[in-house]
Amino acid sequence: MPGGEKRKEATVSTYIPPAQRREKSPHLPFGDMRQTPFYGKDIISVSQFDAAGLEYVFGVAEEMRSMVEHVGTFDLLKGKILANLFYEPSTRTSSSFMAAMQRLGGSVIPINEVRYSSVAKGESLPDTVRTLESYADVIVIRHPEVGAAAIAAQYCRKPIINAGDGVGEHPTQALLDLFTIREELGRTDNLTVTMLGDLKYGRTVHSLSRLLSLFKTRVHCVSPDILRMPPDLVAELKARGMPIQEHAMLDAVLPETDVLYVTRVQKERFEDPAAYESVKGAFVITPETMQSAKNQMVVMHPLPRVGEIAMELDDDPRAAYFRQMEYGLYTRMALLAMVLGKA
Ligand code: CP
């Protein structure tokens, strides 16, 4: 269980100090306001969420939205400190977690460039998180290795939130993506979702497709052959009863699509530059492409984009990718408040 039990084959080496491990979800007296479902928990994977848990998150996110619209900043997490630990570049995830903490009245230790931290001197991930837990109440971590957030959680007494672990998961992005769908289309059931682009390395589509499997959702995967959704994930989703089909072209499925989820081909994940060059411009969504799409649908993208959605589409009301970032602020405010027992 992510963040729960000690991993026996940790890939980040250091000793484990057993006496330091703490129960991350302490038993609290009845009526204690910290008795929320996620109080003290790590958020490592979307597999931690069921439909009821998602509704809880989205309910809190809606309250956060209302509070931001009415008062802007408030003191729900006054006195709390977030450590933002990013081993990979980020604009949205990093700054939205910072903004979320500041909107809630808390403060932030930003480590957006680990090369300027003691990581550059060879400090291990466990030692770094044990350092930050001495100063902060919650740690958000992005790391290039799959499983790094789960490993960090084993060594940390404070809640760890996974902000992306290599090609593994990006759970907070998936939560904000589903919140966007819910707010924009008014439902998360009876939808046809088309995922387009780099489905092999795109951790956002891995996490989102798992969340969508909790609902009556049909998924189309459209990608170049070398960037297909991992076969084990497709098998997992089928085993959960999700209707999921793979395609090489968008044309046939766009007219029935309610959510077109576009992803960037991730140059940084390719070992062979020629392979990247062969697929980088495989799909470009333009106003012409959208002529065959429904009027009531949304185009989403986790961003950054590097050409797969033409800027000419930005003024189309179906282009939801900038609104999606704002939904991310409310979702991350909700998550911080929940893990710190203030939701
Ligand atoms: N969507 C997303 O994760 O963006 P950043 O890489 O800018 O955080």
Side-chain angles (χ1 to χ4, degrees), residues 89-94 142 170 173 203-204 302-304:
S90 169
T91 300
R92 277 144 291 272
T93 313
S94 168
R142 170 171 289 184
H170 195 347
Q173 178 72 43
R203 56 194 173 198
T204 64
L303 302 177

Side-chain angles (χ1 to χ4, degrees), residues 126-328:
D127 281 4
T128 299
V129 296
R130 281 190 296 223
T131 302
L132 293 173
E133 76 179 3
S134 307
Y135 312 134
D137 301 288
V138 53
I139 299 173
V140 170
I141 180 170
R142 170 171 289 184
H143 196 282
E145 286 178 35
V146 176
I151 291 170
Q154 290 170 27
Y155 290 90
C156 186
R157 291 174 292 119
K158 307 284 175 64
I160 292 276
I161 299 179
N162 181 4
D165 59 337
V167 298
E169 283 220 39
H170 195 347
T172 69
Q173 178 72 43
L175 292 168
L176 79 86
D177 289 341
L178 196 61
F179 186 54
T180 301
I181 293 170
R182 183 181 182 271
E183 297 298 296
E184 293 279 324
L185 298 178
R187 67 189 195 281
T188 49
D189 263 321
N190 300 314
L191 292 170
T192 297
V193 178
T194 298
M195 298 182 172
L196 177 77
D198 183 349
L199 308 186
K200 178 180 179 181
Y201 299 117
R203 56 194 173 198
T204 64
V205 288
H206 302 164
S207 290
L208 180 59
S209 59
R210 287 192 172 103
L211 278 191
L212 289 170
S213 72
L214 296 171
F215 303 93
K216 290 180 193 148
T217 311
R218 171 178 296 280
V219 168
H220 294 299
C221 298
V222 182
S223 68
D225 194 52
I226 63 169
L227 294 178
R228 287 169 64 179
M229 193 76 107
D232 54 345
L233 178 55
V234 174
E236 176 189 324
L237 296 168
K238 283 183 177 169
R240 293 185 191 191
M242 173 185 266
I244 179 167
Q245 292 170 289
E246 294 184 89
H247 312 265
M249 305 295 288
L250 178 63
D251 317 36
V253 296
L254 184 57
E256 67 179 83
T257 295
D258 299 299
V259 177
L260 177 61
Y261 193 97
V262 185
T263 63
R264 172 177 68 96
V265 177
Q266 299 187 44
K267 185 178 183 181
E268 66 273 26
R269 311 280 183 211
F270 281 77
E271 287 178 5
D272 177 8
Y276 169 73
E277 291 297 325
S278 73
V279 291
K280 69 175 184 186
F283 297 100
V284 179
I285 306 301
T286 66
E288 291 69 41
T289 316
M290 292 300 293
Q291 283 176 2
S292 62
K294 293 178 181 180
N295 288 329
Q296 294 292 321
M297 57 86 71
V298 285
V299 180
M300 295 173 57
H301 192 308
L303 302 177
R305 65 175 160 181
V306 288
E308 56 279 355
I309 298 179
M311 287 179 70
E312 290 72 30
L313 196 68
D314 294 353
D315 292 332
D316 187 315
R318 297 170 293 185
Y321 32 91
F322 295 127
R323 298 191 293 276
Q324 189 179 347
M325 290 189 285
E326 187 178 328
Y327 293 122

Side-chain angles (χ1 to χ4, degrees), residues 2-229:
E5 299 160 10
K6 282 180 191 167
R7 181 179 290 244
K8 291 195 172 52
E9 295 178 15
T11 58
V12 184
S13 64
T14 190
Y15 77 101
I16 302 171
Q20 286 191 14
R21 302 280 61 78
R22 121 180 130 81
E23 174 56 65
K24 291 199 181 190
S25 295
H27 294 293
L28 297 168
F30 181 76
D32 190 307
M33 67 181 294
R34 293 171 297 169
Q35 207 149 207
T36 65
F38 294 88
Y39 172 57
K41 298 274 190 191
D42 306 306
I43 295 178
I44 305 298
S45 165
V46 291
S47 62
Q48 293 170 254
F49 294 86
D50 58 14
L54 291 172
E55 266 313 301
Y56 187 91
V57 176
F58 298 153
V60 178
E62 281 181 346
E63 287 178 24
M64 295 299 177
R65 179 184 190 174
S66 173
M67 289 296 285
V68 169
E69 286 171 357
H70 287 95
V71 299
T73 300
F74 49 106
D75 283 345
L76 192 67
L77 295 184
K78 186 176 169 62
K80 298 294 184 186
I81 297 177
L82 160 69
N84 237 11
L85 178 60
F86 280 69
Y87 290 77
E88 278 191 334
S90 169
T91 300
R92 277 144 291 272
T93 313
S94 168
S95 52
S96 65
F97 266 114
M98 287 181 70
M101 197 59 174
Q102 289 168 353
R103 291 267 181 201
L104 291 164
S107 50
V108 184
I109 301 170
I111 304 182
N112 287 336
E113 292 278 4
V114 290
R115 68 174 182 272
Y116 297 127
S117 74
S118 285
V119 171
K121 302 175 200 163
E123 184 168 69
S124 68
L125 174 63
D127 281 4
T128 299
V129 296
R130 281 190 296 223
T131 302
L132 293 173
E133 76 179 3
S134 307
Y135 312 134
D137 301 288
V138 53
I139 299 173
V140 170
I141 180 170
R142 170 171 289 184
H143 196 282
E145 286 178 35
V146 176
I151 291 170
Q154 290 170 27
Y155 290 90
C156 186
R157 291 174 292 119
K158 307 284 175 64
I160 292 276
I161 299 179
N162 181 4
D165 59 337
V167 298
E169 283 220 39
H170 195 347
T172 69
Q173 178 72 43
L175 292 168
L176 79 86
D177 289 341
L178 196 61
F179 186 54
T180 301
I181 293 170
R182 183 181 182 271
E183 297 298 296
E184 293 279 324
L185 298 178
R187 67 189 195 281
T188 49
D189 263 321
N190 300 314
L191 292 170
T192 297
V193 178
T194 298
M195 298 182 172
L196 177 77
D198 183 349
L199 308 186
K200 178 180 179 181
Y201 299 117
R203 56 194 173 198
T204 64
V205 288
H206 302 164
S207 290
L208 180 59
S209 59
R210 287 192 172 103
L211 278 191
L212 289 170
S213 72
L214 296 171
F215 303 93
K216 290 180 193 148
T217 311
R218 171 178 296 280
V219 168
H220 294 299
C221 298
V222 182
S223 68
D225 194 52
I226 63 169
L227 294 178
R228 287 169 64 179
M229 193 76 107

